[in-house]
């Protein structure tokens, strides 16, 4: 399992919008014609979001439970079969 990119594979439960950074090269401008900054809606989690660790835990917990593992009562980060 690649845990270095774990947060990037979790799904968002709510809508999160971020400002398009200045200087980002896209096929659209980062500002509108009236000078307002444009935003983009996130589809997947990114590092730095407060929701990222919780979303990853929900996903991996469901995976382990679906495969017959049980969470240890002494240490909730340990699963046993």
């Amino acid at each position: 399992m690649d845990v270095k990119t774990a947060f990037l594979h979790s799904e968002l439960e709510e809508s999160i919008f971020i400002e398009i950074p200045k200087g980002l090269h896209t096929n659209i401008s980062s500002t509108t014609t009236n000078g307002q900054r444009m935003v983009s809606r996130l589809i997947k989690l990114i590092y730095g979001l407060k929701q990222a660790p919780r979303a990853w835990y929900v996903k991996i917990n469901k995976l382990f439970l679906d495969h017959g593992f049980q969470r240890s009562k002494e240490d909730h980060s340990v699963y046993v079969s």
Side-chain angles (χ1 to χ4, degrees), residues 2-54:
D2 183 6
V3 295
K4 290 181 181 182
T5 59
F7 287 176
L8 305 178
H9 297 289
S10 299
E11 287 79 24
L12 287 168
E13 294 180 4
E14 60 275 323
S15 295
I16 297 179
F17 296 87
I18 60 170
E19 261 188 46
I20 297 175
K22 268 189 176 176
L24 180 69
H25 298 288
T26 64
N27 57 354
I28 59 169
S29 171
S30 63
T31 58
T32 61
T33 54
N34 61 2
Q36 293 180 332
R37 299 280 307 203
M38 293 190 61
V39 296
S40 180
R41 181 173 177 256
L42 292 179
I43 297 172
K44 295 277 190 174
L45 285 169
I46 58 174
Y47 286 101
L49 288 179
K50 293 178 189 177
Q51 297 90 333
R54 174 77 178 140

Side-chain angles (χ1 to χ4, degrees), residues 55-70:
W56 170 245
Y57 170 76
V58 168
K59 184 172 186 166
I60 196 73
N61 183 57
K62 182 179 179 337
L63 179 104
F64 284 142
L65 295 178
D66 289 349
H67 283 85
F69 288 87
Q70 293 180 343

